[in-house]
Amino acid sequence: MKTFYPKDLAVPDFHALLQGSIAPRPIAFVSTIDGEGNVNLSPFSFFNLFSTNPPILVFSPSRRVRDNTTKHTLENVLEVPEVVIHVVHYGMVEQMSLASTEYPKGVNEFEKAGFTAIASSEVKPPRVKEAKVAFECKVNEVKSLGETGGAGNLVICEVLVAHVDEHVLDEKGVIDPYKIDLVARMGGNWYSRSNGDALFEIPKPLRTLGIGIDQIPEEIRNSTVLTGNNLGRLGNVESLPTIEEVKAFGLEREIQEMKIRFQNDQASWLDHLHQFAKEALEEGEVEKAWKILLQEK
């Protein structure tokens, strides 16, 4: 493990370290307008959701590391404190990247990147027609974090209205992660796509009180087969199967065959038992995994 102190690295180097490790980061694709009516459109990956009531989004147009200059977006929100924040889907990522080009002030990135500008409902900046979700916001505050290159400027935005493409909604009216197909920023030139095998579910321990990993039997907790993720899923159950349930499962063909095969080899028995349980966990069958792990020869 290497240890780095910010003061020991050049700002660009520590900047790269931060961006490479604090990732993937959601992208705010922000449209703004200046006091003369010039439109700007630019992406920012220092961005997230910070409150639901009131609905607050925060993004940060940092001062440029190389020359300590400020970005047009920051200058615009100080003149006209309104923005439209769009989320970025895979179908627009190349155009979004093109919009990040540092064109001179007054150049319209909507036109340069080939996006369609449509009028917003509540704010002056236009919104991107091709975006699947757009948030019209008023800027409540701009908080400077410093005056040197790389210093952030927190643009605290309150959502006034949200526009959502109905095609990204599921049958319950909730955004479907497969349909919205979001992209996020990594370090350097890298992005990640939230789709396909990159998407997975983990039951949230909100309505249940999991037993915790500390209550898992030591023989299972110290398994050389089960991973920390496997143990985390096992520890998220409220209770273990009953003795009767474990015994009933022990009559299954796979368990009976393993008992015969490894009757004189305890180490192999445990290894195969844990591997069998691991496969069940990867299929989302937590109760089955526990019934496997609690078997005795």
Side-chain angles (χ1 to χ4, degrees):
M1 178 71 72
K2 297 185 69 173
T3 300
F4 300 92
Y5 292 90
K7 63 181 178 61
D8 295 335
L9 292 179
V11 173
D13 294 335
F14 202 69
H15 181 71
L17 186 154
L18 289 170
Q19 290 191 318
S21 54
I22 311 301
R25 301 183 304 281
I27 302 169
F29 198 27
V30 182
S31 61
T32 57
I33 194 168
D34 68 14
E36 298 179 354
N38 295 307
V39 173
N40 182 269
L41 181 65
S42 187
F44 298 92
S45 67
F46 290 6
F47 162 64
N48 222 308
L49 165 68
F50 287 86
S51 173
T52 300
N53 187 22
I56 300 295
L57 309 179
V58 179
F59 72 96
S60 177
S62 301
R63 302 178 74 93
R64 294 185 178 91
V65 172
R66 67 174 183 275
D67 59 8
N68 196 25
T69 56
T70 57
K71 298 178 181 179
H72 298 146
T73 298
L74 175 62
E75 297 163 6
N76 287 359
V77 298
L78 292 173
E79 293 181 23
V80 181
E82 297 178 343
V83 302
V84 183
I85 296 177
H86 312 80
V87 298
V88 179
H89 62 84
Y90 185 74
M92 64 189 291
V93 66
E94 293 280 358
Q95 289 173 273
M96 178 276 299
S97 179
L98 180 58
S100 69
T101 303
E102 294 180 3
Y103 294 111
K105 187 173 178 61
V107 172
N108 189 330
E109 287 86 0
F110 276 88
E111 296 174 358
K112 285 292 185 182
F115 286 115
T116 307
I118 57 178
S120 296
S121 305
E122 304 294 331
V123 298
K124 295 182 182 68
R127 56 192 178 93
V128 176
K129 181 180 180 180
E130 291 80 6
K132 294 180 179 179
V133 179
F135 299 99
E136 296 184 27
C137 309
K138 66 176 181 178
V139 176
N140 288 348
E141 181 184 354
V142 178
K143 183 176 179 57
S144 172
L145 300 181
E147 300 298 327
T148 57
N153 294 277
L154 304 184
V155 182
I156 302 172
C157 308
E158 182 174 345
V159 178
L160 302 177
V161 60
H163 304 278
V164 182
D165 184 339
E166 62 184 0
H167 293 100
V168 305
L169 302 177
D170 63 17
E171 64 279 359
K172 296 179 181 178
V174 176
I175 290 177
D176 185 322
Y178 289 96
K179 292 179 180 178
I180 196 168
D181 199 9
L182 295 173
V183 295
R185 198 74 170 85
M186 305 291 284
N189 292 329
W190 291 94
Y191 290 80
S192 66
R193 183 178 184 181
S194 298
N195 212 319
D197 292 340
L199 293 174
F200 58 92
E201 289 185 285
I202 298 177
K204 287 188 177 181
L206 297 179
R207 297 181 179 85
T208 60
L209 187 64
I211 63 171
I213 291 177
D214 61 328
Q215 297 302 306
I216 295 176
E218 185 176 358
E219 190 174 67
I220 299 172
R221 197 167 63 243
N222 295 332
S223 171
T224 59
V225 174
L226 300 173
T227 66
N229 282 336
N230 295 149
L231 295 176
R233 182 64 65 93
L234 290 169
N236 194 32
V237 299
E238 285 190 284
S239 60
L240 301 182
T242 65
I243 294 175
E244 291 73 20
E245 290 173 327
V246 173
K247 286 182 177 179
F249 188 82
L251 300 176
E252 295 284 329
R253 177 178 57 81
E254 293 93 338
I255 298 296
Q256 289 296 313
E257 289 179 351
M258 287 172 59
K259 286 183 176 180
I260 294 171
R261 182 180 177 187
F262 303 112
Q263 58 184 323
N264 297 316
D265 188 345
Q266 179 69 11
S268 294
W269 155 256
L270 289 176
D271 184 74
H272 283 76
L273 198 70
H274 289 190
Q275 187 61 50
F276 188 21
K278 182 181 178 71
E279 292 168 4
L281 287 170
E282 291 172 352
E283 294 295 326
E285 299 181 88
V286 183
E287 185 176 358
K288 178 181 177 180
W290 267 115
K291 291 176 181 178
I292 294 169
L293 291 168
L294 295 176
Q295 294 296 317
E296 296 181 357
K297 283 202 296 182

